[in-house]
Amino acid sequence: MKYPILIHPDPRLKKVCDPVADLSDELRTLADDMLETMYDAPGIGLAAPQIGKMHRLIVLDCVKEEGETPRPLIMFNPEIIASSDDTNVYEEGCLSIPDQYAEVTRPADVSVRWIDMNGNEQTEDFGGLWATCVQHEIDHLNGKLFIDYLKPLKRQMITRKMQKLKRERARA
């Protein structure tokens, strides 16, 4: 099932999500639906609050090349346990802030710990686009958007564009 993606500004995008205490079949189904929603969008990452679900759950797949094998990752309760001093600058976008992009500086490499679909703890090191994406999605779980890294004027400009987009969509 595909979910509608919330558009900023929405109060749910600013809330800190609750940890997943128990992996239910309902949550596993939600994770699969989130992957379907993300691929359809199309995007490389999606966090549960972006579809109005306040769980610490993210999905991502940064394989973008045609013909390459997709690598969908589902992370319950993801947390960054280490990050590099080296930084990377990526032009980031967000499915909740359509057609708006801005350069964001983040640690170049991160180690992430999470619970997988089977309830097992996983740890992996990510670099490049994967590192940027996983940090962006974990930010969502903490009520933070990529535009929060921008200067106030640029952030306000993007927010106004999103308010206008929401009004236009409401009228349609």
Side-chain angles (χ1 to χ4, degrees), residues 83-92 102-110 126-133 135 149:
S83 50
S84 65
D85 292 333
D86 292 343
T87 57
N88 254 341
V89 177
Y90 267 99
E91 188 177 62
E92 293 189 27
E103 289 189 342
V104 178
T105 304
R106 298 183 184 268
D109 300 287
V110 291
F126 295 97
L129 180 60
W130 285 90
T132 294
C133 185
Q135 291 173 81
Y149 291 94

Side-chain angles (χ1 to χ4, degrees), residues 3 9 11 21 26 30 33 35 75-76 82 87 90 94 129 136-137 142-143 147:
Y3 281 89
E26 188 184 347
L30 176 64
D33 289 346
L35 274 173
M75 299 181 175
F76 293 96
T87 57
Y90 267 99
C94 179
L129 180 60
H136 175 115
E137 298 311 327
N142 298 319
I147 58 171

Side-chain angles (χ1 to χ4, degrees), residues 57-128:
L57 163 60
I58 63 173
V59 298
L60 55 155
D61 184 351
C62 297
V63 176
K64 293 169 77 172
E65 299 301 314
E66 285 271 335
E68 266 191 67
T69 309
R71 185 178 176 231
L73 282 179
I74 293 171
M75 299 181 175
F76 293 96
N77 298 336
E79 58 178 324
I80 294 166
I81 51 176
S83 50
S84 65
D85 292 333
D86 292 343
T87 57
N88 254 341
V89 177
Y90 267 99
E91 188 177 62
E92 293 189 27
C94 179
L95 295 175
S96 291
I97 309 174
D99 304 321
Q100 300 298 314
Y101 302 91
E103 289 189 342
V104 178
T105 304
R106 298 183 184 268
D109 300 287
V110 291
S111 297
V112 180
R113 179 172 53 217
W114 74 94
I115 307 295
D116 69 15
M117 289 278 268
N118 302 316
N120 301 315
E121 187 174 291
Q122 302 287 341
T123 308
E124 190 175 329
D125 297 331
F126 295 97

